[in-house]
Amino acid sequence: MTGDDVADTLAAMGPRLRAAREHRGSTLTGVSRATGISPSTLSRIETSRRKPTLEVVLQLAKEYGVSLDELAGTAPAAEPRTSELQRFGDNKAVLPLTRYVGGLHAHKHVLPAVQEPPARPRQVSHDGWEWLCVLYGRLWLALGDQDLVLSAGDVAEFDTRNPHGVANAGPGGPVEYLITFGPQGERLRPRTTPPAPGLGAR
């Protein structure tokens, strides 16, 4: 690895550290308490205004539960395993579809069936951009003051700095949906292709 390669790796590590922290739902203050690294130092590292030392990288890799290869961007792609299924207090199941901790990553979410109409979803906001696609069922997306009910095949994308939350629009069956999230505001880029020969416009 050349000197330029090392510099590029260190420059890209800041956003990956930030993505790993946000993926765990941790704050700079919380990480600071756990590691003894000041919030200002963590902030400068995440914004690439300061290069992290090996000691700091090791501490943060352990705190976030990621490997050095993942932080350096050299980890090989891995197939998701059912053992990675995560469950949350609202019985939502989340299956990570990517292991890369920087840039775009994707998850499959499953909300259980409900017997009664739910309360309006609790909203959160954070940096990033989200693309959501419903695979099955009806999903209630509360986006700021808007309330949208999405069905199978419906897609929504939004700036996650806007307050947002989801719930099963029930009553009925479960809801399955995919989320692609860009922690630094990365967005999907739709590409159009010409129709196959012999097929006219519909």
Side-chain angles (χ1 to χ4, degrees):
M1 181 178 284
T2 67
D4 287 343
D5 291 335
V6 172
D8 290 344
T9 298
L10 290 175
M13 196 169 285
R16 290 184 184 128
L17 286 167
R18 178 182 176 182
R21 174 177 62 79
E22 291 179 343
H23 182 68
R24 288 180 62 87
S26 302
T27 64
L28 289 173
T29 302
V31 174
S32 176
R33 291 197 190 101
T35 63
I37 305 168
S38 72
S40 61
T41 297
L42 291 169
S43 177
R44 287 196 295 271
I45 290 172
E46 288 187 358
T47 55
S48 301
R49 290 178 293 164
R50 176 170 178 170
K51 294 179 181 179
T53 64
L54 178 59
E55 181 181 0
V56 166
V57 171
L58 289 171
Q59 282 183 280
L60 294 178
K62 181 178 180 180
E63 175 66 17
Y64 300 150
V66 298
S67 69
L68 294 179
D69 281 341
E70 288 176 288
L71 292 177
T74 58
E79 293 295 325
R81 303 186 301 273
T82 54
S83 61
E84 293 176 338
L85 190 69
Q86 303 169 11
R87 296 192 178 273
F88 296 84
D90 55 2
N91 290 324
K92 177 174 68 175
V94 177
L95 177 65
L97 301 178
T98 53
R99 296 181 61 86
Y100 183 51
V101 297
L104 291 169
H105 49 269
H107 300 82
K108 179 180 178 181
H109 294 234
V110 180
L111 294 174
V114 295
Q115 300 303 316
E116 299 179 358
R120 192 168 195 264
R122 180 179 65 86
Q123 294 181 308
V124 298
S125 60
H126 49 85
D127 289 338
W129 193 272
E130 188 167 301
W131 178 88
L132 182 155
C133 177
V134 178
L135 301 175
Y136 178 84
R138 298 169 67 246
L139 182 72
W140 181 357
L141 171 62
L143 186 60
D145 295 330
Q146 291 183 297
D147 289 284
L148 306 171
V149 175
L150 308 177
S151 300
D154 288 341
V155 174
E157 63 172 325
F158 51 90
D159 186 330
T160 54
R161 290 174 297 182
N162 293 326
H164 58 281
V166 297
N168 189 330
V175 181
E176 297 185 15
Y177 57 101
L178 296 176
I179 282 181
T180 300
F181 174 66
Q184 277 77 53
E186 300 90 341
R187 299 175 64 172
L188 300 184
R189 297 182 295 276
R191 300 293 179 92
T192 57
T193 58
L199 294 178
R202 295 183 179 181

